[in-house]
Amino acid sequence: MKLGFVGLGNMGSAIARNLIKAGHQVTVYNRTRSKAEALRPEGATVAETPAEAASTGLVFTMLADDSAVEQVAFGDKGIIGALPRDGVHISLSTIGAGFSGRLAQSHRDAGQRYAASPVFGRPDSAASAKLTIVIAGDDQAIERARPLLDAIGQKTFILGSEASSANVVKINGNFLLANMIEAFGEIFAVLGKYGIDPKQFLEIVNGNLFRSPVMQNYGNIIADERFDPAGFKLKLGLKDVKLAIAAAEDVNMPFPMASLLRERFLMAVAQGKGEKDWSAVSTVSKL
Amino acid sequence: MKLGFVGLGNMGSAIARNLIKAGHQVTVYNRTRSKAEALRPEGATVAETPAEAASTGLVFTMLADDSAVEQVAFGDKGIIGALPRDGVHISLSTIGAGFSGRLAQSHRDAGQRYAASPVFGRPDSAASAKLTIVIAGDDQAIERARPLLDAIGQKTFILGSEASSANVVKINGNFLLANMIEAFGEIFAVLGKYGIDPKQFLEIVNGNLFRSPVMQNYGNIIADERFDPAGFKLKLGLKDVKLAIAAAEDVNMPFPMASLLRERFLMAVAQGKGEKDWSAVSTVSKL
Amino acid sequence: MKLGFVGLGNMGSAIARNLIKAGHQVTVYNRTRSKAEALRPEGATVAETPAEAASTGLVFTMLADDSAVEQVAFGDKGIIGALPRDGVHISLSTIGAGFSGRLAQSHRDAGQRYAASPVFGRPDSAASAKLTIVIAGDDQAIERARPLLDAIGQKTFILGSEASSANVVKINGNFLLANMIEAFGEIFAVLGKYGIDPKQFLEIVNGNLFRSPVMQNYGNIIADERFDPAGFKLKLGLKDVKLAIAAAEDVNMPFPMASLLRERFLMAVAQGKGEKDWSAVSTVSKL
Amino acid sequence: MKLGFVGLGNMGSAIARNLIKAGHQVTVYNRTRSKAEALRPEGATVAETPAEAASTGLVFTMLADDSAVEQVAFGDKGIIGALPRDGVHISLSTIGAGFSGRLAQSHRDAGQRYAASPVFGRPDSAASAKLTIVIAGDDQAIERARPLLDAIGQKTFILGSEASSANVVKINGNFLLANMIEAFGEIFAVLGKYGIDPKQFLEIVNGNLFRSPVMQNYGNIIADERFDPAGFKLKLGLKDVKLAIAAAEDVNMPFPMASLLRERFLMAVAQGKGEKDWSAVSTVSKL
């Protein structure tokens, strides 16, 4: 089928490529055009504007933050102006729950259909179509997106008709990862003072207790201090922690651990580590 | 072989029973004598004092906290007074790193051998001899303890000659569990306000990302609010968080997440939840 | 002279009244018109729109938050559209440093002059023209505002040409008050458990050590739990704490105490205390 | 009258000197004897042991912490062993509420009288007999101490018969100071990034709002970074924050701000600032 794809960073490019591979006619748009051109040999049509990608009738967006999505959605030559009646917008980006809800309303007001569908996974999972996907929002948007999501991920969870629910789950999933990273950072710093090898701690506590591959992986990265190149940039980690705080605040809820994480990520950014992998927040604990 | 066992709570009784089953002649002591008598039919000799248990030449202790160990070790009719030269004390309890180090020194001063050997696992793992064990301290103490530990756990990690290292690892392992519980508590409280089922969150985030059986288990307990009977009492969880803070403080290290956990556990105790399972600390986040 | 005044809440009405008393011809605007009409008998002209107030050439705004100021400044019939070239906008509101900076830029772009001039003091100080005022921004705006500020406050501090500086000082001044309130809340809760009278604590510690009338006053309010009617609403206190966090974040700075305060204010709001005096945040500590 | 004085640091020496000046026959003891000898020319009798000072029938102690007091009270040649029946022990030290309570009990058990009487003030206030004093405990101990306290301070507050009450007030008074220091540290760090002079902030916010000489003084010290020589050492500040946490914990109370302060003081100690003035904790916020 014909569809549009806006946002061709590491994640977006890998996902768009899988949609092309699956036989779809994909019209791609990216602000820095070269990244769009890179997909032309694989069969993509390169659009001049987000509007052009949206005019296909179904458009994905995969962008860095609320403000980037706001621009391609509401801006001049943007998606909302170009998407036909009953057209579908699937937002794959990790954006705020509040903003996602407002976006849903704007699409409804324009007679369009919107679903939030953030993904779990790093670029390599995106490349191998092994993302875990959550989706919520307009029923028909979900229905039309389902077969497409099957081409880019290994599993999709449907979370109901409130689009922001998908964002809340994604944001809190990321918070749980950030929390684990910070916990390892604080623990390993103490172990270091006692001359205890953090890898042995990991072997004992994760190998026999938690048994989580993700914990093992992050634990090793932190123990080895492998923070470059960034799999997920620390400054984006800060953004996500702030989204978690905001999502809680929107429902009048404190979120003490997220507040603590915000402080730590900010300190890391102040120490010039914003471009490193977010697991580098662990270094704030080293004294 | 002949050995002594002091401290017959849920954990201690299960462990002592496994030592008896393994063919050892076990002299047991417990402050509340009835718990010691309960092991007599299985072949235990019941001691009147800790000293009597220690006079066997090798004694295990499994007690609630530093102060309980201090009493049986240093008190009148205590272990240090009765253990023969080169006798061995294996401390299975979750005690402070600083206190464990002082205990090691006292045994050395008395020409005795000491190893700290805290265990990971709840009473059911103790009963089925599936504990994960860490041990550190005097070389010969470790060597003599090894075959005995094989009878009570499934895996033993040796952490060197500094006894307190084993306690530091145990304390921080427990901190990591407490941290996970608190994180689930805060996240689930927010999800609740959004009408999102915490079990679905668990299925998505643990089932596809973390893949940790322990996280799944605790997540379910918290989602279902199954806090009675306590597998591990909240007031003991507070004790362990305080041990983590103290172990860090002993090496001049801040421990911000542990400080936050201390506040939450204290609030739970103030709310009258000290006797519930420690996962009930999650209820502090419910507003 | 002729001038406009937008925003006639408790603070704004008191200030506008003093400007009228000082002999100025004041054109007032308020969204809820009745509050504007109330000033007509005293000599005010009632405007239909913010634009009408701005067309006088110098306009004050005193509104609840960034969004309210944004609306009267940028909205249809707003200030920026109506203020003549070289016209002056003096913002008395407690607004964000970042937003104040953007507002300054918008006025510059329109050939207008802007200064941020937040005030310290409660409605009674406003009524008696005893406010403490800080001002920063465009030189000529400050020069023209000075004699007017003398009519509404007892002291004005000039903080340079960067408008946001005035907001940063105001926001952090409020943070210091919020911090004092929370500290009293936590301390008094502990004293209560020991049966110690918080007023005696105040007499000893403030009376002999700090000697601050403001601390004495807030300490008494908290000890007596006099939270109604609100002198300054708790939900506005939360807003200000968030402004402090945002102002720090804009320069990549952590702000751990403000993060902690945010949690406490949020908890108070979640407990339904948003309309009470902000000193009611102290009740969160009572267990 | 005849009395003993144990502990001749900066504070103790100044206080003992004032007691001598007031005409009392003072038998002084200090672990490092030279400090005791320094008072001989002024009329003091130099004791060999705490017991000797206690045998006078009324003994003051002014020591660094719980452990120092424990040693002179319970140790060999200690106070409890030497104080006659109905003899009085007045503890001027800033010690833990829990420990003070246990000390009270030990004196009661020995038929002796004890009052906790911690003092507010730095060495210069001690020298000029301008300390603010709180006292609680045994009625007769208080009665007999009163005229003596008048010779060393300007005001004494009586807090009832529970000795620990005096310690709780003192500890929380110090917490309030520490809190103010940390607040200034965090605020000034943010102001610095905005190029705002912290002294101007102080002039505005303290000069017009708080009007506290203590805040002005500490604010200036922090703005000028005058941390040497230490008026009150940072490592003792950490001790006091920990006493505040412990006093709250003893009554099952969280104390979130104190927990945060503990983290900051620990970080300062880890940065090698333990011997500087406690206001140096403010430097932790500088990034």
Side-chain angles (χ1 to χ4, degrees):
Chain A
M1 69 181 272
K2 288 179 71 171
L3 57 91
F5 201 103
V6 174
L8 300 167
N10 290 341
M11 293 294 290
S13 291
I15 294 170
R17 198 166 269 125
N18 281 328
L19 289 166
I20 296 169
K21 275 190 208 157
H24 301 291
Q25 292 170 263
V26 184
T27 300
V28 297
Y29 171 80
N30 195 63
R31 203 173 45 176
T32 306
R33 191 185 170 107
S34 57
K35 290 189 177 170
E37 291 295 343
L39 288 176
R40 199 192 287 275
E42 312 196 22
T45 303
V46 176
E48 300 286 325
T49 61
E52 212 177 315
S55 65
T56 56
L58 185 152
V59 64
F60 286 95
T61 48
M62 184 46 143
L63 296 149
D65 54 26
D66 289 18
S67 137
V69 175
E70 190 169 23
Q71 217 169 310
V72 305
F74 296 96
D76 189 36
K77 308 274 178 192
I79 288 171
I80 290 181
L83 200 62
R85 190 163 187 82
D86 274 323
V88 169
H89 176 193
I90 305 294
S91 165
L92 304 170
S93 318
T94 298
I95 54 175
F99 173 65
S100 190
R102 289 191 295 278
L103 192 52
Q105 187 59 49
S106 297
H107 279 297
R108 269 197 299 274
D109 292 348
Q112 302 160 351
R113 299 178 180 281
Y114 167 82
S117 186
V119 303
F120 287 100
R122 292 195 167 207
D124 56 337
S125 315
S128 54
K130 292 203 170 145
L131 297 168
T132 295
I133 305 173
V134 288
I135 188 165
D138 179 274
D139 279 359
Q140 286 197 28
I142 295 174
E143 198 179 312
R144 286 167 65 187
R146 282 301 304 277
L148 300 167
L149 299 178
D150 289 345
I152 67 174
Q154 62 185 352
K155 207 160 182 180
T156 300
F157 293 87
I158 301 177
L159 284 160
S161 58
E162 202 66 64
S164 58
S165 295
N167 305 103
V168 169
V169 165
K170 165 66 178 167
I171 289 165
N172 280 286
N174 274 19
F175 162 72
L176 204 58
L177 286 167
N179 175 274
M180 170 198 69
I181 290 171
E182 172 64 16
F184 279 148
E186 298 190 14
I187 291 170
F188 290 5
V190 172
L191 295 183
K193 296 282 178 184
Y194 278 100
I196 299 169
D197 179 3
K199 294 230 176 150
Q200 191 164 22
F201 176 82
L202 266 182
E203 190 192 348
I204 297 166
V205 174
N206 188 55
N208 291 276
L209 210 61
F210 284 93
R211 303 186 194 194
S212 162
V214 165
M215 288 178 70
Q216 189 65 42
N217 185 34
Y218 271 106
N220 284 332
I221 288 172
I222 293 165
D224 295 338
E225 307 197 355
R226 284 184 275 115
F227 305 131
D228 299 293
F232 182 62
K233 287 187 181 173
L234 197 148
K235 67 180 183 186
L236 292 177
L238 173 57
K239 182 205 75 167
D240 283 8
V241 169
K242 285 162 63 180
L243 291 181
I245 291 172
E249 203 171 271
D250 285 349
V251 288
N252 281 331
M253 289 296 278
F255 207 160
M257 291 187 119
S259 276
L260 173 53
L261 286 184
R262 198 194 70 97
E263 294 298 321
R264 307 298 277 184
F265 274 88
L266 260 175
M267 210 174 295
V269 168
Q271 291 173 353
K273 297 166 183 164
E275 300 294 324
K276 293 190 179 295
D277 190 73
W278 69 331
S279 51
V281 76
S282 59
T283 60
V284 170
S285 297
K286 290 213 148 187
L287 293 176
Chain B
M1 69 182 274
K2 289 178 68 168
L3 56 91
F5 200 104
V6 174
L8 300 166
N10 290 342
M11 293 293 290
S13 292
I15 294 170
R17 198 165 269 126
N18 281 329
L19 289 167
I20 296 169
K21 275 191 209 158
H24 301 289
Q25 294 171 260
V26 184
T27 301
V28 298
Y29 171 80
N30 195 63
R31 206 173 42 177
T32 306
R33 191 188 170 103
S34 57
K35 291 190 178 170
E37 290 296 343
L39 288 175
R40 198 192 287 274
E42 314 197 21
T45 304
V46 175
E48 300 287 325
T49 63
E52 210 179 316
S55 64
T56 57
L58 186 152
V59 65
F60 285 95
T61 48
M62 184 45 145
L63 296 150
D65 54 25
D66 290 18
S67 137
V69 175
E70 190 170 22
Q71 217 169 308
V72 304
F74 296 96
D76 190 35
K77 309 274 180 193
I79 289 171
I80 290 181
L83 201 60
R85 189 162 190 83
D86 275 321
V88 169
H89 175 193
I90 305 294
S91 164
L92 303 170
S93 317
T94 297
I95 54 175
F99 173 65
S100 189
R102 288 191 295 278
L103 192 52
Q105 186 58 49
S106 297
H107 279 297
R108 269 195 301 275
D109 291 350
Q112 300 160 350
R113 301 179 180 280
Y114 167 82
S117 186
V119 304
F120 287 100
R122 292 195 166 207
D124 56 337
S125 314
S128 54
K130 292 204 169 142
L131 298 168
T132 294
I133 305 173
V134 288
I135 188 166
D138 179 274
D139 278 359
Q140 284 198 29
I142 295 175
E143 199 179 310
R144 286 167 64 186
R146 282 301 303 277
L148 300 167
L149 299 178
D150 289 345
I152 66 174
Q154 61 185 352
K155 208 160 181 181
T156 300
F157 293 87
I158 302 177
L159 283 161
S161 57
E162 202 67 65
S164 58
S165 295
N167 305 102
V168 169
V169 165
K170 165 66 178 166
I171 289 165
N172 279 285
N174 274 19
F175 161 73
L176 204 57
L177 287 166
N179 174 273
M180 172 197 68
I181 290 171
E182 172 65 15
F184 279 148
E186 298 190 15
I187 290 171
F188 289 6
V190 172
L191 295 182
K193 295 282 179 183
Y194 277 101
I196 299 169
D197 179 4
K199 294 233 176 147
Q200 191 164 22
F201 176 83
L202 265 182
E203 189 192 349
I204 297 166
V205 173
N206 188 55
N208 291 276
L209 212 59
F210 284 93
R211 302 182 195 198
S212 163
V214 166
M215 288 178 69
Q216 189 65 42
N217 185 35
Y218 272 106
N220 284 332
I221 288 172
I222 294 165
D224 295 338
E225 309 198 352
R226 284 185 275 114
F227 307 131
D228 297 294
F232 181 63
K233 286 187 182 172
L234 198 147
K235 68 180 183 186
L236 292 177
L238 172 57
K239 182 206 76 168
D240 283 7
V241 169
K242 285 162 64 179
L243 291 181
I245 291 172
E249 204 171 270
D250 285 349
V251 289
N252 281 331
M253 289 296 279
F255 207 160
M257 290 186 118
S259 276
L260 174 53
L261 287 185
R262 197 194 70 98
E263 294 297 321
R264 308 298 278 184
F265 274 88
L266 260 174
M267 210 173 295
V269 168
Q271 291 172 354
K273 298 167 184 164
E275 299 296 323
K276 293 192 178 293
D277 190 74
W278 68 331
S279 51
V281 77
S282 60
T283 59
V284 170
S285 298
K286 290 215 147 184
L287 293 175
Chain C
M1 68 182 273
K2 288 179 69 168
L3 56 91
F5 200 103
V6 174
L8 300 166
N10 290 342
M11 293 294 289
S13 292
I15 294 171
R17 198 166 268 125
N18 281 329
L19 289 166
I20 296 168
K21 275 191 209 158
H24 300 291
Q25 295 171 259
V26 185
T27 302
V28 297
Y29 171 79
N30 195 63
R31 205 172 43 176
T32 306
R33 192 186 169 106
S34 57
K35 292 190 177 170
E37 291 296 342
L39 289 175
R40 200 193 285 275
E42 313 197 23
T45 304
V46 175
E48 301 286 326
T49 62
E52 209 178 317
S55 65
T56 57
L58 185 151
V59 65
F60 286 94
T61 48
M62 185 46 144
L63 296 149
D65 54 26
D66 289 17
S67 137
V69 175
E70 189 169 23
Q71 216 169 309
V72 306
F74 295 96
D76 190 36
K77 308 274 178 192
I79 288 171
I80 290 181
L83 201 61
R85 189 162 189 82
D86 275 322
V88 168
H89 176 193
I90 305 294
S91 164
L92 304 170
S93 317
T94 298
I95 54 175
F99 173 66
S100 190
R102 288 191 296 279
L103 192 51
Q105 186 59 48
S106 298
H107 279 296
R108 270 195 301 273
D109 292 348
Q112 300 160 352
R113 300 177 180 283
Y114 167 82
S117 186
V119 304
F120 287 99
R122 293 194 167 207
D124 56 337
S125 315
S128 54
K130 292 205 169 142
L131 297 169
T132 295
I133 306 172
V134 288
I135 187 165
D138 179 274
D139 278 0
Q140 286 198 27
I142 295 174
E143 198 178 311
R144 287 167 64 187
R146 282 301 304 276
L148 301 167
L149 299 179
D150 289 346
I152 66 174
Q154 61 184 353
K155 206 160 184 181
T156 300
F157 292 88
I158 301 177
L159 282 160
S161 58
E162 202 67 63
S164 58
S165 295
N167 305 103
V168 170
V169 165
K170 165 66 178 166
I171 290 166
N172 278 285
N174 274 19
F175 161 74
L176 204 57
L177 287 166
N179 174 274
M180 171 197 69
I181 290 170
E182 171 65 16
F184 279 147
E186 298 190 16
I187 291 170
F188 290 5
V190 172
L191 296 182
K193 295 282 177 182
Y194 278 100
I196 300 169
D197 179 3
K199 294 231 175 148
Q200 191 164 22
F201 176 83
L202 265 182
E203 189 191 350
I204 296 166
V205 173
N206 187 55
N208 290 277
L209 210 59
F210 284 93
R211 302 184 193 195
S212 162
V214 165
M215 287 178 70
Q216 189 65 42
N217 185 34
Y218 271 106
N220 283 332
I221 288 172
I222 293 165
D224 295 338
E225 308 198 353
R226 284 185 275 114
F227 307 130
D228 297 294
F232 181 62
K233 286 188 182 172
L234 197 147
K235 68 180 182 185
L236 292 177
L238 172 56
K239 182 206 75 168
D240 283 7
V241 169
K242 285 163 63 179
L243 291 180
I245 291 173
E249 203 172 87
D250 285 348
V251 288
N252 281 330
M253 288 297 278
F255 207 160
M257 290 186 117
S259 276
L260 174 53
L261 287 184
R262 198 194 69 97
E263 294 298 320
R264 307 298 276 184
F265 274 87
L266 260 175
M267 211 174 295
V269 168
Q271 291 172 353
K273 297 166 184 166
E275 300 294 324
K276 294 193 177 291
D277 190 74
W278 68 331
S279 51
V281 77
S282 60
T283 59
V284 170
S285 298
K286 292 215 148 184
L287 292 177
Chain D
M1 69 181 274
K2 286 179 72 170
L3 56 91
F5 201 104
V6 173
L8 300 166
N10 290 341
M11 293 295 290
S13 292
I15 295 171
R17 199 165 269 126
N18 281 329
L19 289 167
I20 296 169
K21 275 190 210 160
H24 300 291
Q25 293 170 263
V26 184
T27 301
V28 297
Y29 171 79
N30 195 64
R31 203 173 44 176
T32 306
R33 192 187 168 105
S34 58
K35 291 190 177 169
E37 290 295 343
L39 289 176
R40 199 192 287 273
E42 313 196 21
T45 303
V46 176
E48 301 286 326
T49 62
E52 211 178 314
S55 65
T56 57
L58 185 153
V59 65
F60 286 95
T61 48
M62 184 44 143
L63 296 149
D65 54 26
D66 289 17
S67 137
V69 176
E70 190 170 23
Q71 217 169 309
V72 305
F74 296 96
D76 189 37
K77 309 273 178 192
I79 289 172
I80 291 182
L83 200 61
R85 190 164 188 82
D86 276 323
V88 169
H89 176 192
I90 305 294
S91 164
L92 304 171
S93 318
T94 298
I95 54 174
F99 173 65
S100 189
R102 289 191 295 278
L103 192 51
Q105 187 59 48
S106 298
H107 279 297
R108 269 195 301 273
D109 291 348
Q112 302 160 350
R113 301 178 179 279
Y114 167 82
S117 186
V119 303
F120 287 100
R122 293 194 166 207
D124 57 336
S125 315
S128 54
K130 293 205 167 140
L131 297 169
T132 295
I133 305 172
V134 287
I135 187 166
D138 178 274
D139 278 1
Q140 285 199 29
I142 295 174
E143 198 179 312
R144 286 167 64 187
R146 281 303 302 279
L148 300 166
L149 299 178
D150 289 346
I152 65 174
Q154 61 185 352
K155 206 160 182 178
T156 299
F157 292 87
I158 301 176
L159 283 160
S161 58
E162 202 66 64
S164 58
S165 295
N167 305 101
V168 169
V169 165
K170 164 65 178 167
I171 289 166
N172 278 287
N174 274 19
F175 162 74
L176 205 57
L177 287 167
N179 176 272
M180 170 198 69
I181 290 171
E182 172 64 16
F184 279 149
E186 297 191 15
I187 290 170
F188 289 5
V190 172
L191 296 182
K193 296 281 179 184
Y194 278 100
I196 299 168
D197 179 3
K199 295 232 175 149
Q200 191 164 22
F201 176 83
L202 266 182
E203 189 192 350
I204 297 166
V205 174
N206 187 56
N208 291 277
L209 211 59
F210 283 92
R211 301 182 196 198
S212 162
V214 165
M215 287 179 70
Q216 189 65 41
N217 184 35
Y218 272 107
N220 284 332
I221 288 172
I222 293 166
D224 295 338
E225 308 197 355
R226 283 186 275 114
F227 306 130
D228 298 294
F232 180 62
K233 286 188 183 173
L234 197 148
K235 67 180 183 186
L236 292 177
L238 172 56
K239 182 205 76 168
D240 283 7
V241 169
K242 285 162 62 180
L243 290 181
I245 291 173
E249 204 171 87
D250 285 348
V251 288
N252 280 331
M253 289 295 278
F255 207 161
M257 290 186 119
S259 276
L260 174 53
L261 287 184
R262 199 195 69 98
E263 294 297 322
R264 308 298 277 184
F265 274 87
L266 259 175
M267 210 174 296
V269 168
Q271 291 172 353
K273 298 165 182 163
E275 300 294 324
K276 294 192 178 293
D277 190 74
W278 69 331
S279 51
V281 77
S282 60
T283 60
V284 170
S285 298
K286 290 214 148 186
L287 293 176

